[in-house]
Amino acid sequence: MSHTHNTPPSNFSTADLPTDMAEGSVAFDTDTQELVAYKNGSWESLGSGGGGGIGSTTYVRDNVAGVIDQIQGDIPANWKQNDSSLKGLVIGTSCTTIGSSAFNYCTNLTGSLVIPDSVTSIGSQCFYGCSGPTSLTIGNSVTTINGSAFKYCTGLTGSLVIPDSVTTIGSSSFFNCTGLTGSLVIPESVTSIGDIVFMFCSGLTAIYVNCPASSWVGSNALNSTTALVNIYYGPDTNGGAGYNATFQQGSGMTVSAWTNYPNIP
């Protein structure tokens, strides 16, 4: 059950944050310019991953301080689809599922995109076309990343680490995430990787994979990953059987054992 309304949290300086608030209350700290949650008698930052386990609210903002909407519980499908006023997002720990197209084409959304550990499912086309976020952290309870969830998130940078809770990565989930650079890490928990999942992720240079090649149930998942030169296979991949230089329509890749598993160089 979810509830959405437009009443913003109260603003306080750090020194004036009250100490008699209900567990899970959220306020805006005007000194640090961030949302904070009250937990176990103290205030913790929501933006940096604090306040976990208290069922906190999801907030969207039109700037750093201006909360324009909030929702308790799961985020429904199409909630902020095509909302160009949305510039900031803190997903609360009361959320367990993010509905399909919830933030589809929120083209002015920027900053870090953090999926908290409370979330188990990321809906199809959830962040489709959100080109502004520059980093992505996927929580350790997510089991399903549905199709096209992060398609055309071209602003995402750095490596992409799939947590070991994930079993399914739907078709096109990271299609054309051209800003991703460095490594792609896929754990042994993954049993299904769909069509064209990483197609046109032209900045990725290496895959560290610990699921068997048979888990890649779709096709063309690595097509046009032009910088991808290495696949390192882990101990749960049947000795790397099925992985090869043109695996999933990649090109010219070197396949070798992940010798320092589970460490990433």
Side-chain angles (χ1 to χ4, degrees), residues 171-194:
S171 297
S172 304
S173 288
F174 297 94
F175 181 95
N176 206 64
C177 290
T178 54
L180 290 172
T181 56
S183 302
L184 167 63
V185 182
I186 303 176
E188 67 275 10
S189 60
V190 175
T191 58
S192 178
I193 301 173

Side-chain angles (χ1 to χ4, degrees), residues 2-262:
S2 55
H3 178 59
T4 180
H5 54 96
N6 294 336
T7 304
S10 299
N11 294 343
F12 299 97
S13 67
T14 302
D16 291 334
L17 285 166
T19 57
D20 58 350
M21 301 293 282
E23 185 86 350
S25 297
V26 174
F28 185 78
D29 188 323
T30 56
D31 291 333
T32 62
Q33 292 290 290
E34 63 183 353
L35 289 165
V36 290
Y38 194 67
K39 180 187 178 185
N40 297 328
S42 64
W43 292 93
E44 300 181 15
S45 169
L46 282 175
S48 61
I54 59 174
S56 58
T57 298
T58 293
Y59 289 91
V60 294
R61 307 189 301 273
D62 60 1
N63 54 51
V64 172
V67 174
I68 55 175
D69 208 351
Q70 56 187 282
I71 192 168
Q72 182 74 16
D74 293 340
I75 299 173
N78 310 311
W79 185 45
K80 293 296 174 183
Q81 185 176 22
N82 297 315
D83 188 343
S84 60
S85 69
L86 193 158
K87 297 180 181 179
L89 169 66
V90 176
I91 300 174
T93 57
S94 63
C95 177
T96 61
T97 62
I98 306 174
S100 60
S101 299
F103 302 99
N104 185 306
Y105 276 111
C106 289
T107 53
N108 289 319
L109 179 63
T110 60
S112 299
L113 185 54
V114 178
I115 311 298
D117 288 345
S118 60
V119 172
T120 60
S121 178
I122 302 171
S124 60
Q125 300 189 33
C126 185
F127 295 97
Y128 185 115
C130 294
S131 57
T134 55
S135 68
L136 172 64
T137 302
I138 302 173
N140 292 321
S141 298
V142 171
T143 60
T144 304
I145 302 172
N146 283 290
S148 302
F150 301 98
K151 189 173 184 177
Y152 294 118
C153 289
T154 54
L156 293 177
T157 59
S159 296
L160 175 61
V161 178
I162 306 297
D164 59 12
S165 56
V166 172
T167 60
T168 301
I169 306 174
S171 297
S172 304
S173 288
F174 297 94
F175 181 95
N176 206 64
C177 290
T178 54
L180 290 172
T181 56
S183 302
L184 167 63
V185 182
I186 303 176
E188 67 275 10
S189 60
V190 175
T191 58
S192 178
I193 301 173
D195 295 326
I196 61 174
V197 173
F198 305 106
M199 188 172 179
F200 294 118
C201 290
S202 53
L204 292 173
T205 59
I207 298 178
Y208 292 83
V209 60
N210 198 30
C211 64
S214 59
S215 295
W216 301 67
V217 297
S219 62
N220 288 285
L222 301 178
N223 196 325
S224 300
T225 52
T226 53
L228 187 59
V229 294
N230 289 298
I231 297 179
Y232 298 100
Y233 59 85
D236 298 309
T237 61
N238 300 319
Y243 290 106
N244 55 58
T246 57
F247 181 71
Q248 286 286 319
Q249 290 68 51
S251 177
M253 297 178 294
T254 299
V255 180
S256 56
W258 185 349
T259 56
N260 57 341
Y261 175 86

